[in-house]
Each structure stands twice: as structure tokens, then as C-alpha cells.
Amino acid sequence: MRQKIVAGNWKMNNTLDEGLKLTTEIANMVADEVRGDVRVILAPPFIHLSQVKSLIKDTDKLFLSAQNCNENESGAYTGEVSTSMLSSIEVEYVIIGHSERREYFNESNEQLAKKIDATLSEGLLPIFCCGESLEVRESGDFISFICNQINESLFHLSTEQFSKVVIAYEPIWAIGTGKTASSEQAQDVHAEIRKYVASKYGDKIADETTILYGGSAKPANAPELFACPDVDGGLIGGASLKSRDFVDIVKSF
Ligand code: PEP
């Protein structure tokens, strides 16, 4: 079954105290207000993960994600974090290939394929980000650009492995800009992604794949985005730093 998900990507924001306060607020609101079929994922910075886990481990609605991982098992990679370290503190998801990682840390589709493999081999669930820049959008060739990202980073997976992957479509021109894709633009791309997944893994797997939208989603526009038949939730940046806004987005289905 396709899982409804709203994930909050805190990026490099919040001290530990601030992060724990935000987690407590979200956990309380989610317990009181959120229906059971929506999975809420928090993706704080690495140093928050362990303590955020302690705060959410007794609820079955909240899950934990890292924002990145290293593709190697262990060794001399100063400053990096492996997937076995993440699974040792019961992290469940890892965001892979966020556009900020692609742009500022030069992460290629090929490297991301290795990160996907490292994630799955530890039993972690990848949230794989794809999406085009404004330049690519205006060239008109953005669907083949996105399909190529998916092909090069995901299509080496077996059907069983692929069935664990969540895809997040995040047009770069909409991330942190306040300029959201319209619900028609989001639906069109999500439908194309689903069609492309079906061409490789078949209709059943494609139908069960969760595809999130990300890019300036907020309480005011989330209901229209989440009402689209191929939009299964959101990856939320800025609005995930305010508990009320984030939980209102979660309640937008
Ligand atoms: C993101 O960074 O994944 C994102 C969607 O950010 P924002 O919601 O701030 O546009």
C-alpha cells in the first residue's frame, strides 16, 4: 500500500535544546491531532538524532531520518557518518540526494546510487530526492532530466529493494524560495515519475511507490498539493521548523 508521509528536513538549523523543544511540541500535537495513517518523519541534524529518538520512541506515528550518510562502511572518512552508525541508534530513514547536497557537495547520481545501496543494506529506508533547476525547467526537458536522476541512482535496484524507496520530487526553483510549484505542475511530474517507475518495475510497484513533493510547502498550499492523486505527502524544509505549521501541513490530507 502507498504510504502517506510528511517529513520535516531541519537542515542545519536548531541547537540541541531547540531541536528537543521542537520535537516535544510536534510529538504532543501529533499524538492529539494526527490520524493514524500518516507517517510523520523528523530529519534533524546528526547530533540531535539520538536524543530525538528517545523523545519519539513510544509513539507509532513519528519516525526518524538522517539528512545524509556516507556510502562507505567505515574507515578514514573524517567528519562522515555511516549507515551502520545510523541504524545503531534506530534511525529509520535517510534523505539521499537533496539538491543542496548535489549542489554544495557535488554529489553525483553515481555516488548517490552507492549511498542508496549503503542505506538499504543496513535496513534503512531511503528518501531519494530528485528535481530540476529553473534553467532545466525552462529548457522544457525537465522530465527526462528527472528520469535520468532516477535511472542512474535507483534503477540498478532489485524490485524488492526498490519497493523500500520513497521518492521526493523537489524542483530546485521552489526550495526555500517561497515559490511553490502549482498543484498541476506537481501532479504532472509525479505522474511522469510513476509512469517511469512502472516502465522498469511494473504497475503494481509504481502504484505502491510513495512520491513526496518538496518546495515551499506550507499550511496554506499543502491541502491542494496533497489532494493530487499522485502526491503522497511532502518533504518540508522551512515550515518544519515551526511546530504549528508543520503539524498543520501533516493534517492537510
Ligand atoms: C527542502 O529543503 O527539502 C525543502 C522542501 O525546503 P522548503 O520547504 O524550505 O522549500
Side-chain angles (χ1 to χ4, degrees):
M1 206 192 67
R2 216 189 283 178
Q3 175 71 57
K4 289 183 179 18
I5 291 177
V6 177
N9 173 16
W10 297 2
K11 312 192 185 188
M12 196 174 74
N13 291 297
N14 286 332
T15 62
L16 181 59
D17 281 351
E18 289 164 346
L20 298 180
K21 180 168 173 284
L22 178 59
T23 303
T24 304
E25 288 169 7
I26 291 171
N28 289 338
M29 290 180 195
V30 165
D32 292 344
E33 303 173 27
V34 172
R35 54 187 231 214
D37 61 337
V38 183
R39 193 168 268 209
V40 182
I41 302 175
L42 304 182
F46 284 129
I47 67 137
H48 298 54
L49 287 169
S50 191
Q51 291 192 53
V52 169
K53 183 72 195 182
S54 307
L55 293 178
I56 65 173
K57 68 175 181 315
D58 293 332
T59 148
D60 55 1
K61 291 181 193 160
L62 281 163
F63 293 79
L64 190 60
S65 177
Q67 298 174 15
N68 180 34
C69 66
N70 189 275
E71 62 274 31
N72 296 288
E73 268 177 43
S74 63
Y77 302 100
T78 301
E80 292 293 282
V81 172
S82 73
T83 52
S84 63
M85 293 173 191
L86 296 174
S87 68
S88 74
I89 56 163
E90 297 174 81
V91 168
E92 285 113 348
Y93 289 86
V94 186
I95 298 172
I96 305 279
H98 191 282
S99 60
E100 288 150 17
R101 302 261 357 142
R102 293 175 186 265
E103 184 179 348
Y104 306 139
F105 302 94
N106 297 318
E107 294 189 355
S108 64
N109 292 339
E110 190 189 20
Q111 183 184 10
L112 296 174
K114 293 183 185 152
K115 292 190 180 212
I116 292 280
D117 291 345
T119 302
L120 290 169
S121 66
E122 268 305 322
L124 298 163
L125 304 169
I127 301 173
F128 176 75
C129 301
C130 56
E132 79 287 2
S133 63
L134 189 57
E135 198 187 350
V136 173
R137 160 83 36 177
E138 286 175 346
S139 77
D141 216 13
F142 52 97
I143 297 295
S144 60
F145 178 86
I146 295 161
C147 289
N148 185 55
Q149 290 179 318
I150 292 172
N151 178 36
E152 293 192 356
S153 298
L154 298 179
F155 276 9
H156 63 290
L157 298 175
S158 69
T159 303
E160 210 225 314
Q161 289 173 319
F162 184 84
S163 67
K164 310 264 193 305
V165 176
V166 173
I167 294 177
Y169 167 57
E170 299 208 301
I172 298 169
W173 47 271
I175 295 179
T177 58
K179 192 178 170 201
T180 322
S182 68
S183 51
E184 290 78 19
Q185 286 173 318
Q187 168 58 26
D188 285 352
V189 176
H190 283 227
E192 291 291 341
I193 291 173
R194 207 176 294 287
K195 205 161 81 184
Y196 189 56
V197 169
S199 74
K200 171 79 178 171
Y201 294 103
D203 289 344
K204 182 170 182 293
I205 292 289
D207 190 51
E208 288 173 356
T209 301
T210 295
I211 308 177
L212 308 179
Y213 167 78
S216 298
K218 33 191 175 294
N221 56 31
E224 199 183 326
L225 287 162
F226 293 180
C228 299
D230 288 294
V231 177
D232 307 311
L235 179 54
I236 316 298
S240 73
L241 298 171
K242 294 194 182 117
S243 53
R244 186 68 269 163
D245 284 359
F246 183 60
V247 176
D248 282 347
I249 292 172
V250 175
K251 289 162 67 183
S252 296
F253 285 104

